[in-house]
Amino acid sequence: MTRLTIRVDFDDGRHLGHGKIRLLEMVDAHGSISSAARAMDMSYRRAWLLADEVNRMFRTPVLETQLGGKGGGHARLTEFGRLLVDHYRSIERESKVAFAPRIAALEDQLAPVPDEQPEAQG
Amino acid sequence: MTRLTIRVDFDDGRHLGHGKIRLLEMVDAHGSISSAARAMDMSYRRAWLLADEVNRMFRTPVLETQLGGKGGGHARLTEFGRLLVDHYRSIERESKVAFAPRIAALEDQLAPVPDEQPEAQG
């Protein structure tokens, strides 16, 4: 299935795209930045930097974090964090519907993919 | 002005995004891959590889090229190439309109950018 991905570049160089949104969703699902990083096969450092970047991007924090304690630190989306993810995913979902005819026109024109590995015979 | 950029990932790993479309537009404007590469501050090799990739992606070529001769090789968009660029730019343009309220909601929430270099006094 063809996929449309959206990137939002704000005036000042700050941007929001699939990577940051996916990370927020994974933090929400897994309850911490470290677990989200593990699930995304991303280094903890990179995940932390991305999370910190998106957390500073808006007036309202996107993630609430709680350091240390039993079982390590925890993190979860704030109400605004949920709203942010929802805006982004809604744009993607609505794009998919709105542009289905244009995407179908392009799909119709795709060249066949050459078989790189013909199936083994009988 | 906030900008929405679209990337289309087809099923099979082939994708189309801002970079390839911009290259096609620049080839069209400048009349050759080498001039387009220069204008985009991209190596000729990278521009050629990108152009070749998008040219093989669809059943119909996107660029017509003419090698060598007086003044070097020339390239221009085919009719399908123009259609491709038009589909992509239309998706971008229509997205901008359709998602203006969501984008405005996010813009309203952007944190102020800290002044890194305060203006000189007096």
Side-chain angles (χ1 to χ4, degrees), chain A residues 1-5 7 9 11 14 57-60 87 90 94-95 99 102 108-109 111 113, chain B residues 1-5 7 9 11 14 57-60 84 87 90 94-95 99 102 108-109 111 113:
Chain A
M1 190 94 131
T2 299
R3 187 185 163 86
L4 278 185
T5 315
R7 178 179 153 124
D9 283 87
D11 243 0
R14 287 181 285 192
M57 213 163 135
F58 298 96
R59 286 206 217 114
T60 315
H87 272 305
S90 298
E94 292 163 19
S95 293
F99 304 120
R102 291 193 187 279
D108 280 351
Q109 289 294 324
V113 180
Chain B
M1 191 94 130
T2 299
R3 186 184 164 86
L4 279 185
T5 316
R7 177 178 155 126
D9 283 87
D11 244 359
R14 288 181 284 193
M57 213 163 134
F58 297 96
R59 287 207 216 112
T60 315
L84 181 69
H87 272 305
S90 298
E94 292 163 20
S95 293
F99 303 121
R102 291 193 186 280
D108 280 351
Q109 289 295 323
V113 179

Side-chain angles (χ1 to χ4, degrees), chain B residues 48-75:
Chain B
W48 191 91
L49 287 172
L50 266 181
D52 186 57
E53 189 184 332
V54 67
N55 221 24
R56 289 168 189 273
M57 213 163 134
F58 297 96
R59 287 207 216 112
T60 315
V62 164
L63 288 171
E64 281 169 345
T65 54
Q66 192 190 332
L67 288 176
K70 213 169 162 186
H74 294 287

